[in-house]
Amino acid sequence: MAISLAGGICLVINAVLHARISFRVRFSRSLLAGYGAIQLLCLAVSLGAGALLERLGASATVVGLVTMVLWAGLSFVLTKASYRRSGAAAGLASRHTNQRP
């Protein structure tokens, strides 16, 4: 139960930080649902890659490092593509300048 609670909290915090800081879009429930779906896909891909690496005889360290990089990279690419596809990032550049009106 504690791991599920911690994971849920981390998921929400990461979604908020990605939205506001990484991609500068407005946070919403639909964004959280999409982000959660991306993380579930990344989990499935990482579990599959980990199982394959274990069958090939890779050490636990290699499995951990490869799946960490795979999950992080896939998560970033899918999240960035998701925000760009929705048009959420369009027009944000002018809002984030150092110039004051």
Side-chain angles (χ1 to χ4, degrees):
M1 183 65 170
I3 293 172
S4 296
L5 181 61
I9 291 169
C10 287
L11 183 81
V12 171
I13 290 171
N14 283 337
V16 170
L17 292 177
H18 273 309
R20 300 305 301 151
I21 296 172
S22 299
F23 302 110
R24 290 184 169 83
V25 295
R26 196 164 273 150
F27 180 77
S28 66
R29 288 185 182 150
S30 64
L31 182 140
L32 180 60
Y35 186 77
I38 288 170
Q39 296 312 310
L40 284 174
L41 175 65
C42 292
L43 172 63
V45 169
S46 294
L47 287 173
L52 178 64
L53 288 169
E54 282 183 347
R55 284 188 186 154
L56 295 174
S59 69
T61 303
V62 170
V63 171
L65 289 173
V66 169
T67 56
M68 176 183 66
V69 170
L70 178 64
W71 189 327
L74 185 59
S75 173
F76 180 79
V77 168
L78 291 175
T79 303
K80 186 172 182 171
S82 175
Y83 292 151
R84 185 172 284 159
R85 190 171 7 113
S86 69
L92 288 176
S94 63
R95 220 178 62 167
H96 298 287
T97 63
N98 291 330
Q99 299 173 359
R100 295 186 185 251

